[in-house]
Amino acid sequence: MEKAWWQKSTIYQIYPRSFNDSNGDGIGDLEGIIAKLDYLQLLGIDIIWLSPVYQSPNDDNGYDISNYYDIMSDFGTMDDMERLIEETKKRDIHIMMDLVINHTSDEHHWFKESRKSKDNPYRDYYIWRESENGPPSDITSVFSGSAWEWDGQTDEYYFHLFSKKQPDLNLHNPEVREHLYKMMNFWLSKGVSGFRMDVIDLIGKEVDENVLTDGPKLHDYLQEMNEKVLSRYPTVTVGETPSATTETAQLYTGKGRNELDMVFTFQHMSLDERAGEGKWALKELDFTELKKVLSTWQTSLFQKGWNSLYWNNHDQPRIVSRWGNDQEYRVESAKMLATVLHMMQGTPFIYQGEEIGMTNIDWDDITRYRDIESINYFNEKKTEGVPEQEIMQSIRTKGRDNARTPFQWNDDAHGGFTNGVPWIEVNANYHEINALEAMGNQDSIFYHYQKLIALRKRLDIVVYGEYELLLEDHPEIMAYTRTWEEQTLLVVANFYGGNPDFKLPETVDDARSTLIISNYSDTRERPSEIHTLRPYEAVVYLIEKQPNN
Ligand code: NOJ
């Protein structure tokens, strides 16, 4: 299999608004990121995915861009951005920009023109429809309500799958695509190394046919983008594709397809949702289902594509509160989850704060939340008469602000994130959970992540080995092997707080096994020493094959 530079890499996502505030305005900024690059270098990451830093009125925290060629003033200036690129280069760290091209802000110059008149040259940059009796169709916005907004200036509706301040671009217009490619080339020539592509599975949509994701032109557009932009630089790309299946992922990432390097699947993220009812309709997590989903992706893309590996991002609740135990076994379970993910095949992503085991917030008062998605959902359900407690139960469990509270750097006021008043409150547990504490403790989650990142660099088997799930139906243990050349990697993890029995698979050559990482300091050097697993225990052994003589 072809070896690409980003296959051994680990990517760290920064949500700039919540990372580090250097000027006391309560909002994280580029200067703040620069100040923390040594911290990231110590962790060992290779690439930073920077959530949007472009000019934006912040209706959706930067995912509503009003100028692709300028920096949001809250975050700094283009000079700061250039310095960030320079400073990351000095540390051998690449930057992956967030690319939001499904929509712009309604304050983007193109949209301001577009809405002026039906014959404006920018009219066809967006999706306008006339309709006499209400919206042209029943399509709803991801952020609640109709996806169509009436605009009195020209008496037509425009289409917005997200907020009404995020009108969807019409990528069927070749002029729009050319503008976007020019912009991408601008950033690559500035020295960034690639893009994380926001909801990229939507760009071929055919609204009149009710086709949103996976439109007929989607892959043509990605191939065109690859030809006109991506193939001209040694880039790394990941597409956000909520609709992706293991089949479509092979179209996006397959060798010779010339589209993207990897995509984000959502199947393991929606296991706490009732199918077809959307993200807020909660259901119990099903562990065997999780194993099945992760394993299917591992085996389906083996030598046919490439996986992204993630537990968290700025849209998801914190993993240690979701699949781990964020109280008694916070440290053990955070390390266990990291081990299970990082020993799989693919490129791992770490979301800021994951490496110190940051947890969900547990706020029951909507006024403390800042996210437009949660606030719109609350208002809509309140109007429908749903009891507040029920609405808040969903928001506490799934709301995006769980991931967006400020990074907890130390025990100072506001977790050391700002000297001012933070735009969103810091999680009250920052006294115990913070980076300073983690860095002073050799057994911390931080150093466990550091070891996992280093293992991927040191051992080819972590990058290339073939995956096989063991103990498929076990209700508490996830175990798998990776096999590559003369070696096997055995990963065994207890996902719960009990002490399940563990029987060594007969295929494992105990005498040739070496423990390479564990989340308990009292280690078991050989797998045969394990009879029962400890709460949230995770161990990895490297097994050398018997020589043939
Ligand atoms: C996906 C992004 O990750 C999310 O934060 C954003 O709200 C939507 N796309 C719209 O851009």
Side-chain angles (χ1 to χ4, degrees), residues 7 9-12 308-310 341-342 346-350 456:
Q7 289 180 319
S9 297
T10 299
I11 304 181
Y12 186 92
S308 69
L309 304 171
Y310 76 99
L341 194 80
H342 282 244
T347 299
F349 287 70
I350 300 170
R456 172 170 297 271

Side-chain angles (χ1 to χ4, degrees), residues 165-184:
K165 284 184 66 62
Q166 292 169 295
D168 280 43
L169 280 167
N170 172 19
L171 272 94
H172 297 308
N173 179 341
E175 215 175 285
V176 170
R177 300 202 302 279
E178 283 306 322
H179 270 299
L180 297 172
Y181 302 151
K182 192 173 130 210
M183 176 272 289
M184 292 170 75

